[in-house]
Amino acid sequence: MSLTLRTISREQHLAYIQSLPSASHCQVPAWADVKSEWRSENLGWFDRDGQIVGAGLVLYRQLPKIKRYLAYLPEGPVINWYAPNLADWLQPMLAHLKQQGAFSVKMGPPVVIRRWDSAAIKSGIQDPDVKRLRDVEATHIEPRAFEVADRLRKMGWQQGEDGGAGFGDVQPRYVFQVPLANRSLEDVLKGFNQLWRRNIKKADKAGVEVVQGGYEDLAEWQRLYEITAVRDHFRPRPLSYFQRMWTVLNSEDPNRMRLYFARHNGVNLSAATMLVVGGHVWYSYGASDNIGREVRPSNAMQWRMLRDSYAMGATVYDLRGISDSLDETDHLFGLIQFKVGTGGEAVEYVGEWDFPLNKLLHKALDIYMSRR
């Protein structure tokens, strides 16, 4: 199959994404406007009949003081990763990015390598000898993903450092997902552990209501998010970031981003943002107050978001990043513990990969990043 690659319009890019069952929210054209500090470009792959068969959103970050760029395709490009001729897809991309002044390329193939169901994770948590997810036998292994990794290595791509739980600008290598395809809502609820089901009932009994918010409610979202940042020791993004995200994503597709609040007696106790691309729904950012935890607002909110995803015809509800640590003393352990209660599965991707087009500058960037 002979492929050609060229820059395409945002409209072409969006039309291609909309023709697919789903794609990462980091690969929709409007994501470039969310990441406004990066320059962006939309790439399209065409077959010999001139049909578009792949697309990629490239973000360019300039190096300080010189006109050379890191080219980044977060959770992309959206191509046929299992094609035996993978080099025919990626070589033209590298040549093009080099022409654009890139000294290094970073991409995140949306290729799943392993899955662990809740039962496997729970047995791992209970085993004192198990410290990491990868020490637990996977419930499902995707052999083709290993072939993809092999092909990338042979082409000179280097596997990046683990994205950990996906905090900051790297994409998470491990995520937690609740599969919805071919399941009834009853099955989904049955999959929740006892504690989750009890907490959902408790919230319902206490009169917790979950509502959708709009642009005008983002300031209230920010209030809860900043409380969360203080409690969990991370640096919050500014309100302007979420306002921009809302505006650009929803002007691309009115259902791309949603905002939810769980409230009790008229007081908002927790909030979340949700992103939707095709059949894939992400719980993107979460926030909660230090008060009102006894009425379990977060469980009520997740259950409502899951039900809404199901009603939209989603095939997967994605709770985003987890760390692969199953050690109860690890500060990120609570995250997997909370998510595993939904009866979903932990999913490992092949991770992010780098191609140094200029080895010297690539090395300099590595040193610069490690000092930050």
Side-chain angles (χ1 to χ4, degrees), residues 74-274:
E75 296 183 18
V78 184
I79 60 172
N80 177 10
W81 284 97
Y82 302 118
N85 62 334
L86 191 56
D88 295 353
W89 291 79
L90 296 179
Q91 295 309 81
M93 179 181 89
L94 288 175
H96 174 84
L97 297 175
K98 193 172 187 172
Q99 262 183 326
Q100 296 292 309
F103 66 88
S104 186
V105 180
K106 185 187 271 298
M107 64 177 184
V111 173
V112 170
I113 198 159
R114 293 183 191 88
R115 296 176 188 272
W116 295 262
D117 65 20
S118 295
I121 301 165
K122 278 178 206 149
S123 68
I125 291 170
Q126 282 154 7
D127 185 337
D129 294 333
V130 169
K131 294 288 179 231
R132 305 215 154 265
L133 201 49
R134 63 185 75 164
D135 301 334
V136 178
E137 192 181 337
T139 328
H140 176 79
I141 289 179
E142 177 52 78
R144 295 184 306 168
F146 292 94
E147 290 172 28
V148 172
D150 272 351
R151 286 180 188 134
L152 291 174
R153 267 187 216 101
K154 285 192 181 110
M155 280 180 243
W157 289 86
Q158 300 164 4
Q159 197 156 19
E161 292 303 303
D162 268 11
F167 304 114
D169 269 341
V170 274
Q171 300 306 319
R173 176 149 185 192
Y174 295 91
V175 301
F176 203 88
Q177 297 177 346
V178 181
L180 300 176
N182 308 317
R183 295 175 78 192
S184 68
L185 260 183
E186 220 170 313
D187 289 339
V188 175
L189 185 59
K190 272 194 197 126
F192 281 26
N193 69 12
Q194 251 178 321
L195 182 65
W196 262 85
R197 289 204 301 268
R198 215 171 32 236
N199 286 346
I200 290 168
K201 271 206 183 98
K202 201 174 191 174
D204 192 39
K205 224 175 177 162
V208 171
E209 54 167 349
V210 180
V211 296
Q212 264 184 265
Y215 180 87
E216 65 287 353
D217 302 302
L218 286 168
E220 173 64 359
W221 147 264
Q222 192 70 15
R223 178 184 75 81
L224 292 167
Y225 173 62
E226 285 177 11
I227 291 171
T228 310
V230 172
R231 184 177 65 238
D232 294 348
H233 312 290
F234 65 84
R235 213 170 81 208
R237 292 188 182 276
L239 173 60
S240 58
Y241 180 82
F242 295 103
Q243 288 172 328
R244 183 169 70 239
M245 200 170 169
W246 181 276
T247 306
V248 301
L249 292 177
N250 286 336
S251 61
E252 178 175 275
D253 178 330
N255 198 32
R256 186 76 81 222
M257 181 176 174
R258 290 183 173 197
L259 178 61
Y260 286 84
F261 291 98
R263 58 172 66 144
H264 185 240
N265 296 334
V267 179
N268 291 318
L269 298 176
S270 60
T273 62
M274 179 202 260

Side-chain angles (χ1 to χ4, degrees), residues 1 3-24 27-30 42-47 50-57 73 75-83 89 110 252-253 256 277-279:
M1 174 168 154
L3 293 164
T4 52
L5 174 114
R6 62 172 183 268
T7 304
I8 55 173
S9 70
R10 287 177 65 138
E11 291 71 28
Q12 281 173 293
H13 185 168
L14 182 60
Y16 180 68
I17 295 284
Q18 284 168 333
S19 75
L20 303 173
S22 73
S24 167
Q27 279 294 306
V28 299
N42 307 78
L43 295 180
W45 281 259
F46 294 83
D47 65 14
Q51 290 294 313
I52 186 163
V53 288
L57 174 69
L73 295 99
E75 296 183 18
V78 184
I79 60 172
N80 177 10
W81 284 97
Y82 302 118
W89 291 79
E252 178 175 275
D253 178 330
R256 186 76 81 222
V277 184

